[in-house]
Amino acid sequence: MKRRSFVIAVLLVALVLGAIPCASASGSDDAVDYQLYPAPEGGYVGDTMPYVTEDGTLELYYLYDTDHNGQGYHPIYRFTTDDLVGYEDDGMMLEFGLMSDPDPALGTGSVMRDREGLYHLFYTGHNDTGNGGMGKECVMHATSVDRVNWQKQPEDTFFSPEGYSRDDFRDPEVFWMEEDGCYWLLIAAREEQLGGVVAKYTSPDLKSWTFEGPLYAPQAQYMLECPDLFRMGDTWYLTYSWDCVTYYAIGESMNGPFVAPEDNILDGKGLMDGNGFVFYAAKTAQWNGNTYLCGWLGRAALSADSGIYQWAGNVLNHQLVRHDDGTLGVEAPETFKDYFTQDFDYRAENIEAADIADDDIALSAGDGEIALADLGVRAPTMMLECDVTLDPDGCAGFAFGGSEADEAWTALCLDAERNLLHYEGYELKELSDYDPMAVTRFDFSDGGVHHVTLVCENEIVVLYIDDAKALSSRIGHSTGGAHIGVFSDGCDAAFSDIAMKIPE
């Protein structure tokens, strides 16, 4: 298959010269304030550090990023939410240090409460000068009595152990392990022979730490960033990030051994190395009886939809699902159903080869043809649910376009021929000409009925399928008065029980 070589050349130039701002719906007449996928004004959300408070509030600490970082960068900021459908911006929690300190740049960490009630923020200190030969990265510690005023504890700083990279030692995750009767600290490290590992430390008091060796060493990635350990049912899971995506592995106990399933990616992966941050650096929050995977959707690298995303963007949370075989899936947070409560009436119109009956649409397109039904103007924030059936070797999905300003339609694809979900701004008529750019693997081989949920807020569009996978995208082409539709490309497809909802 040929690629859109001209577009890729433009992307490379843009990435070298500096990112072109994303054509976000935030500048459109129909834009709404972000309630589901927030970002700070004038900045972006980097790696998140979720903490559930004693009164049941979710606090999302995160690395604050901008397009104009200075010599010091990535202070830790915080959002607070009660329901994932509205956030308070609490501002900065921890400032970066001086160039003479180990932390002129802050990196990811974790927030926890000790058994005496004191709050702790363990985080990464990064200094490119190398800290006098000790290494660029280290574990640092701050404490608080109220989670608002944090006091750094520089005497608790420590660097990598012997045999490990001095420059790649980051992202401490600290928690009390009841089964072990002590505190654990997991950290992304690089061992000289094994490569990227999740290293384990233990402590009785959060002050003195004993190095226990690698907890997980798959010998597959350069680093295993932002590690997190949690249990669902009787199974333990380890999440970590590299290659612009969040992975997971499965273990029978807290000590493993951990094994990555054949397909251990739950959301999208960009196919252009280093620029596909679809869903990254996710850590978990066990909250209100559910487990949420809290990360971020990268900001777009070009003004046009491209499927290429840079580091840091908007908050993005998925609800985890544990399947009978122990593998994980994702679905939209259950609180979204309490937010999208008002029916949104639509009137489907046949554009090409569509048979419309109430909330069911059957599409039939011959080889090289497109079938399309127009569902009307897309609401700025909405949730669509439906069941989809398509040929085992076909391609169908959702289309955006048809507005007075731009009649072209672009395609968010359920691609059974390639067993992929994907979106990259290609027009319907171009789908057979170009390879996908941002994808999620999904097995369509059974030819069955698939339940799809589409959540849209401004240009952010997240597709969930069968409580198994998600594909998160920025689709500028879906905003500014654009219509939403359903299509099939060279195959038969059916969309049944279509329901759209918007907030009250």
Side-chain angles (χ1 to χ4, degrees):
M1 302 291 286
K2 63 182 180 179
R3 290 185 179 274
R4 191 188 289 184
S5 57
F6 172 75
V7 170
I8 292 177
V10 172
L11 293 173
L12 292 173
V13 171
L15 293 168
V16 170
L17 296 180
I20 301 172
C22 172
S24 166
S26 59
S28 303
D29 291 340
D30 63 344
V32 296
D33 291 336
Y34 289 100
Q35 301 296 318
L36 313 178
Y37 310 113
E41 186 173 356
Y44 307 100
V45 173
D47 301 354
T48 61
M49 298 157 260
Y51 175 73
V52 178
T53 69
E54 298 77 59
D55 64 358
T57 298
L58 177 63
E59 296 179 339
L60 283 178
Y61 297 76
Y62 65 92
L63 302 182
Y64 178 90
D65 191 42
T66 74
D67 289 322
H68 47 80
N69 290 330
Q71 194 172 38
Y73 55 95
H74 287 169
I76 294 175
Y77 276 52
R78 187 177 75 191
F79 282 118
T80 301
T81 182
D82 293 323
D83 53 12
L84 302 181
V85 292
Y87 293 76
E88 292 291 331
D89 186 344
D90 298 327
M92 186 171 65
M93 296 290 109
L94 194 69
E95 177 64 286
F96 49 74
L98 304 174
M99 286 304 297
S100 56
D101 297 324
D103 61 349
L106 305 188
T108 318
S110 57
V111 175
M112 54 88 67
R113 181 176 183 258
D114 70 21
R115 294 166 68 79
E116 285 71 48
L118 185 66
Y119 299 100
H120 300 260
L121 170 54
F122 287 87
Y123 64 99
T124 307
H126 181 99
N127 191 325
D128 283 327
T129 67
N131 291 296
M134 292 185 291
K136 294 181 180 179
E137 293 186 332
C138 58
V139 173
M140 301 191 73
H141 184 200
T143 58
S144 174
V145 296
D146 58 8
R147 301 191 315 280
V148 174
N149 301 288
W150 292 91
Q151 181 66 44
K152 294 182 180 181
Q153 307 293 333
E155 69 276 9
D156 295 340
T157 299
F158 66 94
F159 291 80
S160 63
E162 185 176 351
Y164 283 74
S165 167
R166 296 180 177 183
D167 297 335
D168 295 300
F169 189 67
R170 53 185 175 268
D171 308 339
E173 178 70 19
V174 181
F175 50 91
W176 173 259
M177 179 60 80
E178 186 67 38
E179 292 84 348
D180 218 11
C182 63
Y183 295 99
W184 280 29
L185 182 153
L186 305 183
I187 193 161
R190 181 167 174 79
E191 202 270 343
E192 292 176 353
Q193 302 299 321
L194 298 173
V197 304
V198 175
K200 171 187 166 184
Y201 286 76
T202 58
S203 172
D205 58 7
L206 298 173
K207 288 282 188 180
S208 58
W209 292 97
T210 300
F211 177 53
E212 306 286 358
L215 179 67
Y216 182 53
Q219 297 182 270
Q221 282 94 9
Y222 181 86
M223 285 289 282
L224 310 182
E225 292 186 321
C226 303
D228 189 18
L229 179 67
F230 62 99
R231 181 166 52 185
M232 294 181 70
D234 57 0
T235 305
W236 290 84
Y237 297 92
L238 187 68
T239 57
Y240 55 96
S241 292
W242 194 249
D243 304 320
C244 302
V245 299
T246 298
Y247 297 97
Y248 77 96
I250 304 173
E252 295 182 358
S253 80
M254 61 191 186
N255 288 302
F258 291 93
V259 177
E262 182 179 355
D263 184 2
N264 66 336
I265 301 175
L266 299 172
D267 200 337
K269 176 179 175 63
L271 298 184
M272 191 172 181
D273 289 344
N275 294 290
F277 290 102
V278 177
F279 179 63
Y280 196 69
K283 290 192 174 190
T284 57
Q286 293 187 309
W287 185 41
N288 294 334
N290 297 311
T291 302
Y292 295 91
L293 197 55
C294 308
W296 48 265
L297 168 64
R299 60 191 187 269
L302 284 180
S303 57
D305 298 352
S306 65
I308 295 178
Y309 306 106
Q310 291 182 293
W311 194 92
N314 293 60
V315 167
L316 177 58
N317 301 310
H318 297 311
Q319 186 168 321
L320 282 174
V321 177
R322 181 181 181 272
H323 298 141
D324 291 341
D325 63 358
T327 60
L328 294 178
V330 288
E331 62 182 353
E334 65 175 22
T335 54
F336 285 12
K337 290 187 180 294
D338 295 327
Y339 180 65
F340 294 106
T341 57
Q342 180 176 324
D343 290 333
F344 182 73
D345 294 330
Y346 67 91
R347 181 177 180 181
E349 178 183 351
N350 175 22
I351 301 299
E352 186 67 37
D355 183 10
I356 299 167
D358 297 326
D359 297 326
D360 301 334
I361 299 175
L363 303 166
S364 182
D367 187 36
E369 297 177 346
I370 297 291
L372 175 64
D374 184 349
L375 305 182
V377 176
R378 202 213 91 183
T381 179
M382 58 169 283
M383 184 164 71
L384 183 154
E385 290 192 78
C386 66
D387 292 324
V388 182
T389 309
L390 69 160
D391 291 344
D393 59 352
C395 179
F398 300 91
F400 303 97
S403 68
E404 294 182 3
D406 187 352
E407 295 182 356
W409 291 85
T410 62
L412 172 57
C413 298
L414 282 62
D415 191 335
E417 180 180 9
R418 296 183 175 99
N419 282 320
L420 296 175
L421 313 171
H422 58 93
Y423 178 85
E424 49 281 303
Y426 298 155
E427 294 185 28
L428 289 176
K429 62 184 180 182
E430 298 177 317
L431 285 179
S432 60
D433 296 333
Y434 303 111
D435 287 340
M437 291 291 287
V439 306
T440 302
R441 283 193 287 170
F442 183 81
D443 186 3
F444 288 96
S445 61
D446 64 2
V449 179
H450 304 286
H451 187 74
V452 173
T453 300
L454 202 65
V455 182
C456 307
E457 186 174 58
N458 297 327
E459 87 288 0
I460 296 177
V461 177
V462 183
L463 185 153
Y464 296 95
I465 184 167
D466 289 349
D467 297 339
K469 292 295 189 77
L471 177 65
S472 302
S473 302
R474 293 186 187 270
I475 305 181
H477 209 80
S478 73
T479 65
H483 291 213
I484 183 171
V486 293
F487 78 92
S488 69
D489 179 10
C491 72
D492 292 338
F495 294 76
S496 58
D497 297 323
I498 301 171
M500 291 192 212
K501 291 184 180 292
I502 59 174
E504 291 283 354

